Amino acid sequence: MGHKHGLLELSTQHLHLATQAPLTWSDVPDSSATALSIRKVTYRALLSRRLHPSARAETGSSGLREVHWAQKRVGRLASSAYRDFNYYLTLAAKRLQVGETLLDTKTPMQPDESDLQSELEILYVLRCFMGPVIESYIVLDRLRYLQEHLQELNNKGSVYLCNLFDQGTDSLRNLALVWESSDI
């Protein structure tokens, strides 16, 4: 997907951003859910920093290159796994099947890691606030695409956006593109 004139191309990163809904965070009765969501992202980022380079998928040593890295993922963990950084690292090490020599799970979070965590939290929230902007661009791009192609086909119908359900459901996926023919 991209703008007709090639001025703007959306990458996978943009599409991931489009699914963020920070405006619904304040509607959550328990604000700890937002904090947990942010902690999950920052802990994963800090994990990759703690993981020895030889155990990383992108820089693995020749002995580790034969490992099927698709099977070596932390994956989804229970919310309780994020109660503190060292507990998370211990569970991640088990999932990744790496020992203490490749992932230090005992050393408490260091001041530089704590500073980085704060910076990552800010970055994550700012990225999430871009989500609705990207989502709007995607919808408008698709609307314009259909309008242009119907025009090329000399179709006398119209295309418009329609809400499928109440926006209060907190879903960003509530819009439909509707084509209405004037020939009916």
Side-chain angles (χ1 to χ4, degrees):
M1 167 186 15
H3 191 273
K4 182 178 179 180
H5 303 289
L7 298 175
L8 180 63
E9 289 288 328
L10 292 179
S11 68
T12 303
Q13 289 291 338
H14 292 104
L15 300 177
H16 286 284
L17 286 175
T19 63
Q20 304 302 319
L23 297 177
T24 63
W25 293 350
S26 61
D27 296 337
V28 177
D30 180 9
S31 65
S32 65
T34 302
L36 176 62
S37 173
I38 294 169
R39 193 174 323 116
K40 286 179 179 183
V41 172
T42 59
Y43 278 13
R44 285 178 188 262
L46 293 172
L47 163 69
S48 69
R49 190 169 187 246
R50 280 262 181 122
L51 194 58
H52 189 274
S54 67
R56 295 182 194 153
E58 69 277 7
T59 60
S61 68
S62 58
L64 293 174
R65 287 179 198 214
E66 302 303 316
V67 174
H68 295 285
W69 284 104
Q71 298 169 358
K72 293 277 194 175
R73 299 184 320 191
V74 175
R76 185 179 297 238
L77 295 173
S79 296
S80 61
Y82 299 90
R83 68 181 186 215
D84 68 60
F85 187 52
N86 291 96
Y87 185 64
Y88 168 76
L89 289 175
T90 300
L91 294 176
K94 286 179 187 175
R95 289 276 182 97
L96 293 172
Q97 300 172 357
V98 296
E100 280 291 318
T101 58
L102 298 178
L103 179 60
D104 176 7
T105 61
K106 303 289 187 222
T107 305
M109 188 179 287
Q110 298 299 298
D112 66 320
E113 290 173 317
S114 182
D115 291 344
L116 181 57
Q117 180 181 16
S118 296
E119 292 169 5
L120 289 170
E121 288 170 350
I122 293 166
L123 177 64
Y124 178 71
V125 171
L126 291 174
R127 284 187 66 205
C128 289
F129 276 108
M130 288 295 299
V133 175
I134 302 298
E135 178 73 15
S136 296
Y137 178 79
I138 291 170
V139 170
L140 291 174
D141 179 69
R142 291 176 183 170
L143 175 67
R144 187 69 185 135
Y145 174 85
L146 287 173
Q147 289 171 335
E148 289 171 358
H149 281 72
L150 285 173
Q151 197 173 35
E152 288 173 12
L153 296 171
N154 294 321
N155 188 294
K156 296 179 183 176
S158 62
V159 178
Y160 61 91
L161 292 168
C162 175
N163 283 326
L164 292 177
F165 44 85
D166 181 20
Q167 184 62 34
T169 61
D170 298 337
S171 174
L172 295 175
R173 306 286 184 250
N174 75 327
L175 293 174
L177 289 164
V178 178
W179 169 66
E180 190 172 78
S181 175
S182 59
D183 294 335
I184 296 178

